[in-house]
Amino acid sequence: MKSEEISQYGKIWKFINQLIEQITDGQQVETNKIELKRQWYDFGAKSQRKLAESEFAKDIAAIANTVGLTGYLIIGIDEEKRTLYDSPFTNCGLSDISDIRHLIVKTVDKPIDFDFIEVTVEDEQVKKIISVFEIPPSLDKPHVIKSFKPNEKAEINNYIPVRKGTSINPANRSDIELMYYDRKNIEPEYALEMECPGRKFSFSSGNDYLSLQIPLCFTNFGRKPMAIVSVKLLFSNIVCQSHKNQFEMDLERFSYSGNREEIIITPIIIPSNMVLAVNAWFKAHYIIGLLSELRDYLNKQANSYRMQLEAVDIHEKKYAKILK
């Protein structure tokens, strides 16, 4: 596992063991953001597949719809009997966690973000696996189940579940209003996404510089306008005799898409919840020798070098995106 995966596993392992200790002491741990299941939903049985999909969609959507911080759907713990059950993912009848993501896309109107981790715990000196869905606060709520089957005979269209204490109920008008209010509370002040549409770019060179023209899109997902004061392109994994493994280029000027007027780099202002498309020119002055070979190499997009875009805002916060 990567270091960040080990850290995440350790955090969830500690959290699950704390819940187990609380249950052992007779405490109630299920809340409006924690759902405990004794065993996996049976996605493998064709006769019960639709019911299992509906129940899972209801449980995970209810947590995502409920106001509050991160929520958890935990499989392998029976709170009432204070018992643990070995519950690896393989018990559900699906081949891969991607099948779960596909199930959500098929069943719920908007995707639900989650992390899935299997945690190994000790139960009377026997190792058991607890399956954990960690569901962060959702900016897309309310999540609507397109066609919900509570039982074999009934079907409900456009069902919006929400947790109230330890039970799940259809959302009423005040619940939905609260969801929209909560979205404002969890929306970050500043959040930037960067992209290179179509990966179309071209290099040129002079006696002592290399220049790059590239289209860029900046998307501000935050509540407040952003001011970007500098942008760099970093290249690495270069296999070219004319230069070392990596180098960087600075944004020199840009123009707004559809506007020929070029602007020497000043703060790039991106309004809240807006997409800004620009044509950008980057330049590196310190490259010496055989520039044409390096230029030709970089122009061949089939090569395996990596491009990373880095931006810094007026508060000196950095944002990064790998483009290639």
Side-chain angles (χ1 to χ4, degrees):
M1 279 193 275
K2 297 178 181 179
S3 58
E4 60 267 25
E5 292 174 340
I6 294 173
S7 175
Q8 175 75 350
Y9 179 89
K11 185 190 77 169
I12 298 298
W13 181 88
K14 184 177 180 180
F15 172 69
I16 294 300
N17 277 277
Q18 287 175 342
L19 289 185
I20 293 171
E21 288 179 6
Q22 290 173 331
I23 290 171
T24 302
D25 291 340
Q27 300 178 41
Q28 178 179 314
V29 300
E30 269 202 329
T31 67
N32 61 349
K33 297 294 282 188
I34 299 176
E35 167 87 3
L36 301 181
K37 307 292 288 187
R38 171 180 172 176
Q39 61 189 17
W40 265 100
Y41 310 79
D42 188 5
F43 300 120
K46 290 184 179 180
S47 59
Q48 298 296 311
R49 178 73 179 263
K50 181 65 176 178
L51 289 177
E53 290 180 350
S54 284
E55 184 184 4
F56 174 78
K58 175 199 70 175
D59 291 342
I60 200 165
I63 294 173
N65 283 336
T66 301
V67 171
L69 300 177
T70 299
Y72 297 89
L73 172 58
I74 302 166
I75 303 171
I77 300 179
D78 187 324
E79 182 177 40
E80 184 177 347
K81 295 183 178 180
R82 304 182 191 179
T83 305
L84 304 183
Y85 295 86
D86 190 39
S87 302
F89 179 81
T90 51
N91 285 4
C92 75
L94 299 177
S95 59
D96 189 82
I97 193 64
S98 62
D99 293 334
I100 291 284
R101 298 187 188 279
H102 177 72
L103 185 159
I104 293 174
V105 169
K106 179 180 70 173
T107 311
V108 185
D109 68 330
K110 288 173 286 191
I112 297 173
D113 187 24
F114 67 84
D115 286 322
F116 175 75
I117 297 178
E118 291 182 329
V119 176
T120 302
V121 298
E122 291 276 349
D123 181 31
E124 297 180 351
Q125 297 184 333
V126 177
K127 290 184 178 181
K128 294 180 179 179
I129 293 176
I130 307 298
S131 292
V132 182
F133 290 89
E134 184 178 50
I135 306 150
S138 174
L139 284 169
D140 291 324
K141 60 178 176 280
H143 295 275
V144 181
I145 300 175
K146 302 168 192 175
S147 177
F148 172 65
K149 283 188 70 67
N151 54 59
E152 286 283 1
K153 297 182 179 180
E155 189 162 350
I156 304 171
N157 292 326
N158 300 321
Y159 177 65
I160 305 176
V162 64
R163 288 182 66 84
K164 297 182 178 180
T166 60
S167 63
I168 296 177
N169 304 97
N172 56 35
R173 180 175 177 177
S174 62
D175 293 326
I176 294 173
E177 289 176 349
L178 191 58
M179 290 180 204
Y180 283 108
Y181 176 78
D182 190 50
R183 279 171 51 169
K184 295 179 181 179
N185 291 334
I186 63 177
E187 187 177 18
E189 286 188 332
Y190 304 100
L192 182 68
E193 178 67 24
M194 299 176 286
E195 266 297 344
C196 172
R199 299 293 193 270
K200 295 179 181 179
F201 48 86
S202 60
F203 290 89
S204 60
S205 59
N207 292 331
D208 61 351
Y209 71 87
L210 187 67
S211 180
L212 165 68
Q213 181 181 354
I214 183 172
L216 294 176
C217 278
F218 298 95
T219 305
N220 179 6
F221 291 103
R223 297 196 307 269
K224 296 184 177 181
M226 299 187 69
I228 302 300
V229 296
S230 70
V231 185
K232 291 180 180 292
L233 264 175
L234 286 78
F235 296 80
S236 59
N237 301 335
I238 298 170
V239 183
C240 179
Q241 293 182 357
S242 65
H243 206 268
K244 58 185 179 181
N245 176 261
Q246 59 186 18
F247 74 98
E248 65 182 46
M249 306 180 77
D250 295 303
L251 180 63
E252 181 187 42
R253 65 190 192 279
F254 70 94
S255 66
Y256 296 108
S257 291
N259 189 337
R260 294 184 177 182
E261 181 183 358
E262 295 179 10
I263 302 171
I264 302 300
I265 182 63
T266 57
I268 303 174
I269 306 300
I270 311 170
S272 172
N273 291 309
M274 290 289 290
V275 178
L276 182 66
V278 303
N279 292 311
W281 285 264
F282 289 83
K283 206 168 193 178
H285 288 277
Y286 60 87
I287 298 176
I288 301 173
L290 298 176
L291 285 173
S292 60
E293 182 189 344
L294 179 60
R295 179 199 62 204
D296 294 342
Y297 171 83
L298 295 173
N299 266 322
K300 294 177 181 177
Q301 297 185 39
N303 288 327
S304 60
Y305 65 87
R306 190 176 79 165
M307 295 171 60
Q308 178 166 309
L309 193 64
E310 293 188 356
V312 179
D313 68 15
I314 199 169
H315 304 292
E316 299 184 350
K317 182 177 179 180
K318 293 183 178 180
Y319 307 85
K321 176 64 179 285
I322 295 174
L323 299 180
K324 184 176 181 180

